[in-house]
């Protein structure tokens, strides 16, 4: 069975601070993908990234970066120079084929 | 613009009633999904369909039913057998095929409340 742990229930930062959201997963699949989604107050989930389990290179996209460490089953997400618009609930999870497995989510509040 | 449309945005149901949530996509995606979200919890899979006229139960299918008669439509019926239906429901779709892998596209959700 697949499982995701997002240990940080809620994080509050002041604008322009860097913030890292932790994600630890469990899966028995040898090949899988990992995702991060953002859920703003509107409710719709916004796709941020998907990473193949064979690719352990870190990835950077603008202010966003992701650190994938297969040895510790972690896929952490860092926002650099946070902005108020980053305030949302963030979900991570693996996709073993037919479905996404979501963690409970981390609420990020960025204050101006 | 391509996307997923869920309707209605808010839905109220009396106890003992069945209600149907609509999900339509014009992305030509093969796979469609229904998730339920409760406060403080992640999304849980109710049903999914990878092809027309076929669907599979997810982790919490009891009290729900679906149909997939058309590629673009995947309605979810919340039956009276669902004892705690008040939740936020999200529909998603995904293109599948060959070696390529695509992210999921989500609708804006339907908030169902039992009154």
């Amino acid at each position: 069975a697949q499982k995701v742990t997002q240990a940080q229930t809620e994080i509050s930062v002041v604008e322009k601070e860097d913030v890292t959201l932790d994600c630890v997963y469990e899966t028995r699949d040898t090949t899988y993908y990992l995702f991060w989604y953002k859920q703003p107050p509107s409710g719709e989930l916004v796709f941020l990234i998907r990473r193949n389990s064979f690719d352990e290179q870190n990835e950077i996209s603008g202010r966003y970066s992701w650190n994938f460490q297969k040895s510790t089953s972690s896929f952490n997400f860092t926002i650099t120079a946070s902005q108020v618009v980053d305030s949302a609930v963030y979900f991570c999870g693996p996709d073993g084929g037919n479905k996404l497995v979501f963690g409970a989510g981390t609420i990020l509040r960025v204050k101006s | 613009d391509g996307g997923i449309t869920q309707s209605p945005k808010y839905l109220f149901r009396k106890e003992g009633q069945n209600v149907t949530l609509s999900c339509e996509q014009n992305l030509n995606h093969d796979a469609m999904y229904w998730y339920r979200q409760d406060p403080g919890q992640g999304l849980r899979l109710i049903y999914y369909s990878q092809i027309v006229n076929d669907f599979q139960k997810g982790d919490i299918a009891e009290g729900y039913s679906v149909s997939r008669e058309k590629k673009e439509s995947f309605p979810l019926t919340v039956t009276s057998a669902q004892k705690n239906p008040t939740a936020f429901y999200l529909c998603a779709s995904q293109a599948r095929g060959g070696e390529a892998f695509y992210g999921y596209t989500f609708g804006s959700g339907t908030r169902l409340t039992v009154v």
Side-chain angles (χ1 to χ4, degrees):
Chain A
Q2 295 172 322
K3 182 182 173 183
V4 180
T5 300
Q6 292 182 258
Q8 303 149 307
T9 303
E10 184 169 339
I11 301 174
S12 290
V13 299
V14 177
E15 207 170 17
K16 297 185 182 178
E17 285 185 15
D18 298 347
V19 58
T20 295
L21 309 181
D22 298 333
C23 176
V24 175
Y25 63 92
E26 296 177 23
T27 181
R28 293 181 181 176
D29 294 334
T30 53
T31 303
Y32 51 91
Y33 290 88
L34 295 167
F35 285 89
W36 275 94
Y37 280 86
K38 171 184 178 180
Q39 187 177 40
S42 61
E44 183 174 346
L45 266 73
V46 177
F47 171 75
L48 294 178
I49 189 173
R50 59 92 172 164
R51 171 53 58 93
N52 187 307
S53 57
F54 286 117
D55 182 2
E56 292 194 59
Q57 286 189 346
N58 291 335
E59 182 159 341
I60 298 175
S61 176
R63 296 186 297 108
Y64 297 164
S65 62
W66 288 270
N67 180 265
F68 176 35
Q69 297 205 356
K70 202 169 184 178
S71 60
T72 56
S73 296
S74 66
F75 188 43
N76 297 337
F77 173 36
T78 297
I79 302 175
T80 302
S82 60
Q83 300 175 2
V84 173
V85 293
D86 295 327
S87 297
V89 183
Y90 290 85
F91 294 98
C92 70
D95 180 356
N98 291 330
K99 66 177 183 179
L100 300 176
V101 177
F102 287 84
T106 296
I107 300 170
L108 174 63
R109 302 189 196 280
V110 181
K111 302 176 183 177
S112 58
Chain B
D1 289 337
I4 296 182
T5 301
Q6 287 188 243
S7 62
K9 192 173 179 67
Y10 298 96
L11 185 59
F12 297 90
R13 189 195 92 171
K14 292 182 180 179
E15 287 195 25
Q17 281 185 338
N18 293 354
V19 290
T20 297
L21 283 59
S22 170
C23 178
E24 304 278 332
Q25 54 101 356
N26 60 3
L27 300 164
N28 200 34
H29 284 176
D30 295 305
M32 296 187 74
Y33 305 80
W34 274 105
Y35 284 88
R36 169 180 171 143
Q37 185 177 21
D38 294 284
Q41 297 189 35
L43 282 71
R44 293 181 290 168
L45 182 65
I46 305 172
Y47 268 98
Y48 64 98
S49 167
Q50 296 197 313
I51 194 170
V52 174
N53 292 323
D54 186 54
F55 48 83
Q56 306 294 329
K57 291 182 179 180
D59 300 318
I60 55 166
E62 185 175 353
Y64 300 98
S65 66
V66 294
S67 63
R68 187 83 187 277
E69 298 176 0
K70 298 185 295 182
K71 188 175 185 179
E72 58 270 25
S73 179
F74 191 41
L76 173 74
T77 296
V78 184
T79 74
S80 57
Q82 171 49 238
K83 298 306 178 187
N84 185 23
T86 295
F88 187 55
Y89 292 86
L90 281 160
C91 179
S93 70
Q94 185 191 34
R96 287 186 178 266
E99 297 281 324
F101 184 89
Y102 306 90
Y104 292 65
T105 301
F106 282 83
S108 56
T110 292
R111 192 167 297 279
L112 173 63
T113 304
V114 173
V115 295

